[in-house]
């Protein structure tokens, strides 16, 4: 796609364009065909900026899920103990609804960007009431309009091995409310119900390392205690030097998925240069390879349901102001400052279009004359069982009731309607 000026871009956005009509031409449509949400964080002010219509037009056309970068955080949404300001958060949810997008809520409990009244001078009971009251109000307001919430954000300690699991300076929650994480998740489930997914979200835990070990310990312990957690968000603020660590990230995501948790890549950006290097063609090529490989990794893990970037255009990115003393354009996102798609956009779209959707046919009974591949696998839906089969090239069919799952390398049964325990066969053109 070659875009020469702003008016040309707007025309392409309105009419749609593709170099190959047989494949989807947007990240959104290509990812949806693979059962993946792909998204970008947005800002309420940019979504309603009439002087920059490209922002909303591209964001809504290219992405199926969004997150409010700042507008739903505690400090903005709850400025006084008895006062809520829904303005910015509502704008993000309303914009998403107008484009049939899902929303990841961010976030309900953090140690930063809190209002002045929420501080360590509060007693334990006051903190507990503030936490529960905030979560009840926010999650209750948006209900199932939210696909998921980052319930607790960035609570795990940084650094190497031998440090406590949680940050000692997680103000105002620690040390007065040591069970604040459990309380937050229980409150969020009560307010949102079982269909709103609840996540722990953090940075620096993408690879196999001491911090990801601590995150693993935290969420595994929550599961053991029966705390309602559905998944882990891996922020993934990266640079092009991360390429050598992608295999470690894949292993790490798989071990969290093995706990039965959903995996989201939540705040992805990849800095292509820094103060001492250039964002040249080679750097942008390496960046594109990292974006493509992350899509590939996510598609290879059935539990990886969301890949979301922290913005989508280099015109609006937090990296201009964070660990960037000169404010250099480090070009971390798939669209440049003029909204032109970069190699990272094309590389992701190519990977998504290389993954042929796998279809399944319902059969009238469970498999007969079957050759099993797996023992019992616990799943949450028929689609979840089918995803297990999709991930295994030797699998041709599954037996499932939507809660328990068995994969098969041989299965005889006739196509037709079925209720309860049934078999589902890969479509003939997708079988091994």
């Amino acid at each position: 796609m070659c875009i020469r000026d702003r008016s040309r871009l707007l025309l392409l956005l309105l009419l749609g364009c593709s170099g190959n009509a047989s494949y989807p031409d947007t990240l959104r449509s290509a990812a949806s065909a693979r059962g993946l949400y792909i998204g970008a964080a947005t800002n309420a002010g940019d979504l309603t900026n009439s002087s920059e219509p490209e922002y909303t037009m591209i964001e809504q056309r290219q992405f199926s899920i969004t997150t409010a970068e700042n507008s739903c955080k505690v400090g903005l949404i709850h400025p006084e103990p008895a006062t809520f300001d829904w303005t910015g958060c509502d704008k993000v949810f309303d914009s998403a609804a107008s484009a049939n997008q899902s929303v990841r809520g961010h976030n309900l409990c953090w140690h930063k960007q809190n209002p002045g009244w929420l501080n360590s001078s509060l007693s334990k009971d006051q903190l507990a009431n503030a936490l529960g009251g905030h979560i009840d109000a926010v999650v209750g307001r948006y209900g199932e309009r939210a696909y998921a919430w980052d319930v607790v954000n960035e609570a795990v300690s940084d650094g190497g091995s031998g440090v406590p699991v949680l940050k000692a300076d997680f103000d105002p929650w620690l040390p007065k409310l040591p069970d604040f994480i459990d309380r937050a998740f229980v409150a969020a489930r009560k307010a949102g119900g079982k269909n709103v997914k609840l996540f722990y979200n953090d940075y620096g835990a993408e690879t196999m390392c001491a911090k990801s070990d601590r995150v693993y310990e935290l969420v595994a312990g929550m599961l053991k205690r029966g705390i309602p957690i559905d998944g882990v968000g891996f922020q993934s603020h990266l640079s092009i030097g991360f390429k050598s660590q992608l295999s470690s990230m894949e292993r790490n995501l798989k071990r969290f998925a093995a706990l039965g948790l959903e995996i989201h890549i939540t705040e992805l950006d990849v800095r292509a240069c820094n103060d001492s290097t250039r964002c040249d063609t080679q750097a942008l090529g390496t960046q594109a390879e990292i974006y493509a490989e992350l899509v590939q990794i996510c598609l290879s893990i059935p539990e990886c349901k969301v890949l979301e970037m922290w913005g989508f255009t280099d015109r609006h990115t937090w990296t201009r102001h964070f660990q960037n003393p000169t404010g250099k354009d480090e070009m971390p996102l798939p669209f440049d400052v003029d909204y032109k798609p970069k190699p990272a956009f094309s590389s992701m779209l190519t990977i998504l279009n290389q993954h042929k959707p796998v279809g399944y046919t319902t059969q009238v009974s469970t498999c007969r004359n079957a050759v099993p591949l797996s023992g019992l696998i616990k799943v949450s839906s028929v689609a979840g069982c089918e995803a297990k089969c999709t991930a295994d090239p030797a699998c041709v069919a599954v037996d499932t009731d939507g809660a328990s799952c068995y994969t098969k390398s041989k299965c005889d049964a006739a196509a037709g309607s079925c209720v309860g325990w049934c078999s589902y066969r890969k479509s003939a053109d997708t079988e091994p």
Side-chain angles (χ1 to χ4, degrees):
M1 183 188 298
C2 181
I3 300 171
R4 301 175 188 272
D5 55 43
R6 176 173 286 195
S7 61
R8 174 66 171 160
L9 171 59
L10 292 175
L11 180 61
L12 290 173
L13 284 170
L14 290 169
L15 299 179
C17 60
S18 175
N20 187 332
S22 65
Y23 291 106
D25 67 322
T26 67
L27 295 173
R28 176 176 183 161
S29 54
S32 294
R34 312 304 179 257
L36 177 69
Y37 286 105
I38 193 161
T42 51
N43 285 296
D46 296 321
L47 288 168
T48 55
N49 183 0
S50 60
S51 67
E52 201 173 324
E54 300 96 327
Y55 183 90
T56 301
M57 294 176 70
I58 292 176
E59 189 273 329
Q60 291 186 342
R61 184 169 188 264
Q62 292 292 342
F63 302 110
S64 55
I65 195 166
T66 191
T67 293
E69 188 168 348
N70 289 296
S71 300
C72 299
K73 291 176 179 174
V74 182
L76 288 176
I77 210 170
H78 200 169
E80 299 294 339
T83 302
F84 287 86
D85 183 354
W86 307 108
T87 307
C89 198
D90 278 357
K91 285 180 180 178
V92 174
F93 271 86
D94 291 346
S95 175
S98 73
N100 195 29
Q101 293 173 317
S102 296
V103 179
R104 291 190 83 260
H106 177 82
N107 57 63
L108 299 172
C109 178
W110 197 21
H111 67 308
K112 297 180 179 179
Q113 294 182 241
N114 286 323
W117 65 268
L118 187 59
N119 60 65
S120 57
S121 70
L122 299 180
S123 68
K124 177 179 179 180
D125 288 345
Q126 288 173 323
L127 285 171
N129 290 335
L131 180 64
H134 177 80
I135 291 172
D136 184 63
V138 176
V139 178
R141 177 180 180 84
Y142 295 107
E144 292 186 12
R145 294 176 66 190
Y147 170 77
W149 278 97
D150 290 330
V151 179
V152 176
N153 192 49
E154 302 178 356
V156 169
S157 298
D158 299 320
S161 58
V163 302
V165 171
L166 300 182
K167 293 172 177 171
D169 59 348
F170 204 76
D171 185 69
W173 311 109
L174 293 177
K176 290 182 180 177
L177 199 65
D179 60 343
F180 75 95
I181 292 179
D182 287 5
R183 287 174 181 264
F185 276 84
V186 170
R189 175 65 82 226
K190 182 178 179 181
K194 64 180 181 180
N195 293 328
V196 178
K197 297 181 182 293
L198 308 181
F199 275 69
Y200 176 77
N201 187 58
D202 214 329
Y203 63 88
E206 292 81 14
T207 63
M208 301 288 289
C209 64
K211 181 165 183 176
S212 65
D213 288 347
R214 288 190 288 273
V215 174
Y216 187 93
E217 180 181 344
L218 171 68
V219 299
M222 293 171 67
L223 290 170
K224 187 175 181 179
R225 294 192 300 276
I227 302 303
I229 179 172
D230 299 303
V232 179
F234 297 87
Q235 292 185 10
S236 306
H237 295 295
L238 313 175
S239 68
I240 57 174
F242 189 79
K243 191 171 188 298
S244 62
Q245 300 182 67
L246 286 166
S247 61
S248 178
M249 182 171 178
E250 182 175 18
R251 294 195 304 274
N252 189 45
L253 297 188
K254 286 181 176 179
R255 70 166 170 163
F256 280 88
L259 290 173
L261 294 170
E262 197 164 298
I263 303 300
H264 291 185
I265 296 173
T266 55
E267 303 182 19
L268 175 63
D269 45 41
V270 183
R271 300 187 197 218
C273 59
N274 56 39
D275 281 349
S276 60
T277 62
R278 296 176 56 200
C279 285
D280 55 18
T281 301
Q282 182 177 354
L284 293 177
T286 301
Q287 179 190 65
E289 291 174 7
I290 293 172
Y291 270 102
E293 289 192 44
L294 288 172
V295 171
Q296 180 84 51
I297 288 170
C298 199
L299 290 171
S300 73
I301 301 171
E303 294 81 4
C304 188
K305 303 297 185 184
V306 172
L307 189 150
E308 190 167 20
M309 288 151 278
W310 210 234
F312 65 95
T313 168
D314 296 335
R315 182 182 290 250
H316 299 286
T317 169
W318 79 307
T319 63
R320 289 289 185 99
H321 315 290
F322 183 78
Q323 297 181 348
N324 185 356
T326 65
K328 180 177 181 177
D329 179 10
E330 297 176 331
M331 303 184 71
L333 295 166
F335 290 82
D336 69 14
V337 295
D338 296 317
Y339 290 100
K340 295 178 182 177
K342 291 158 55 181
F345 169 86
S346 301
S347 69
M348 289 191 289
L349 188 61
T350 296
I351 292 297
L352 289 166
N353 281 328
Q354 283 177 351
H355 278 70
K356 187 175 182 181
V358 177
Y360 285 83
T361 300
T362 304
Q363 303 186 123
V364 297
S365 66
T366 54
C367 293
R368 297 190 297 272
N369 302 317
V371 176
L373 280 172
S374 73
L376 172 65
I377 304 170
K378 300 304 292 183
V379 295
S380 58
S381 65
V382 171
C385 185
E386 291 172 347
K388 301 293 184 184
C389 187
T390 299
D392 186 351
C395 181
V396 301
V398 298
D399 284 343
T400 184
D401 64 349
S404 300
C405 172
Y406 297 88
T407 59
K408 312 288 185 178
S409 63
K410 184 177 185 297
C411 174
D412 294 335
S417 61
C418 181
V419 176
W421 271 97
C422 309
S423 60
Y424 302 84
R425 172 179 283 278
K426 280 182 182 176
S427 298
D429 61 344
T430 60
E431 288 183 19

